[in-house]
Amino acid sequence: MLATRALRLLGKRAISTSVCVRGGHGVAKIEAYTLPAYFDRRENPLPDICYVQDLSAEQASLKEKEQGSWAALSNEEKVALYRISFKQSFAEMGEGTAEWKSVIGGVLFVVGFTGLIVLWQRKYVYGPVPHTFDPEWKAKELQRMLDMRMNPVEGLSAKWDSENKQWKK
Amino acid sequence: MSLQKPLMRGLLAKRLRFHVPIAFALSMLAAVGWKYGVTEPRKQAYADFYKHYDAVKEFTGMREAGVFESVRPSGE
């Protein structure tokens, strides 16, 4: 009640647009992201709002001139009107940027850093490998694979010369 | 100032007319290359292997090496 009486000083119209009294609270603040936005997209050719919202003096006068006959506008004025409404033309928005260089650089840097972390981990976190990785054990494994003729057509045993007990040349 | 009116129609057809023959040619190339680079040599390798394959000799060799559980080497 106190708020409406104070606002009567602002004028009757101000009450409906400024503060609506409901239990003493005001209207929620309008966030910027809830308002229509401008963006250059090929699939949305006419954005919700013009690019330039606050017109300078000469832009405002140009907009006035736009109300009249368009044949009276020069080519530069037409381009200026276009640039008021839009940021990039369709040709410009399709151009590539140099962003890929930053992306590749960033990716390589992070991969390199990950490599450092992996090396540190190998040295300070993991314990020793199992005994089955010893060279003697590996030799016994290979001998057993050859004994049971593993992959004899195109694979391991195919490359072993059993008469001369050596790998085929 | 007056630009030429850009192409409005037939964009997909134009793209397909260019890319589909290329895709077809590359696929055929891949298939033929795989057949004569991989499958034919593999078939030949198997044929050569089994042409002079003595199963009993191989079995005896494996048995003497001691890899079987059902039949031990002849010495034991």
Side-chain angles (χ1 to χ4, degrees):
Chain A
M1 269 334 283
L2 207 64
T4 38
R5 207 173 297 159
L7 286 167
R8 224 158 289 235
L9 300 167
L10 292 173
K12 213 154 65 149
R13 196 152 9 129
I15 298 177
S16 54
T17 52
S18 55
V19 175
C20 153
V21 179
R22 267 178 78 192
H25 302 281
V27 170
K29 175 167 157 304
I30 296 180
E31 300 286 342
Y33 62 79
T34 59
L35 298 168
Y38 177 86
F39 46 88
D40 286 312
R41 302 300 299 271
R42 200 163 220 105
E43 53 270 10
N44 190 15
L46 298 174
D48 299 333
I49 53 172
C50 290
Y51 177 54
V52 178
Q53 291 289 294
D54 314 309
L55 299 171
S56 72
E58 58 178 286
Q59 282 174 326
S61 67
L62 197 57
K63 277 285 181 188
E64 286 298 317
K65 197 174 172 194
E66 195 192 10
Q67 304 296 325
S69 165
W70 287 348
L73 296 168
S74 71
N75 280 352
E76 292 82 25
E77 288 174 333
K78 288 178 190 167
V79 173
L81 282 168
Y82 181 88
R83 290 294 172 186
I84 289 174
S85 299
F86 304 105
K87 183 177 178 221
Q88 280 183 319
S89 68
F90 265 64
E92 286 164 9
M93 76 170 83
E95 288 168 354
T97 61
E99 193 190 8
W100 67 271
K101 297 174 195 168
S102 315
V103 170
I104 296 286
V107 166
L108 291 174
F109 180 80
V110 171
V111 168
F113 185 68
T114 309
L116 287 175
I117 294 179
V118 167
L119 283 175
W120 176 87
Q121 198 176 315
R122 180 70 192 83
K123 189 161 194 285
Y124 290 104
V125 175
Y126 293 142
V129 289
H131 66 99
T132 52
F133 281 84
D134 296 339
E136 300 83 29
W137 192 279
K138 282 295 179 196
K140 282 196 231 165
E141 269 184 14
L142 180 57
Q143 183 59 52
R144 191 174 144 81
M145 283 196 271
L146 293 169
D147 288 340
M148 62 169 101
R149 312 290 190 266
M150 215 166 82
N151 286 337
V153 182
E154 280 191 316
L156 185 70
S157 304
K159 300 193 169 69
W160 178 254
D161 188 0
S162 41
E163 281 92 47
N164 302 331
K165 297 274 189 282
Q166 62 185 356
W167 293 111
K168 284 184 189 165
K169 298 287 181 290
Chain B
M1 190 64 200
S2 41
L3 290 168
Q4 206 184 10
K5 180 172 174 177
L7 278 170
M8 307 291 265
R9 292 159 179 273
L11 299 166
L12 178 65
K14 181 172 160 210
R15 181 186 167 82
L16 287 178
R17 231 177 305 126
F18 179 74
H19 281 100
V20 164
I22 294 177
F24 183 78
L26 286 177
S27 311
M28 291 304 291
L29 203 69
V32 167
W34 186 261
K35 181 178 171 69
Y36 291 106
V38 177
T39 57
E40 288 302 319
R42 188 170 286 166
K43 285 180 351 192
Q44 191 58 41
Y46 272 80
D48 293 338
F49 178 77
Y50 283 109
K51 208 187 314 178
H52 303 291
Y53 183 64
D54 187 359
V56 176
K57 175 170 165 239
E58 294 293 319
F59 169 73
T60 320
M62 284 195 255
R63 177 187 173 179
E64 297 310 321
V67 294
F68 289 128
E69 290 178 8
S70 53
V71 44
R72 301 309 306 159
S74 47
E76 294 166 22

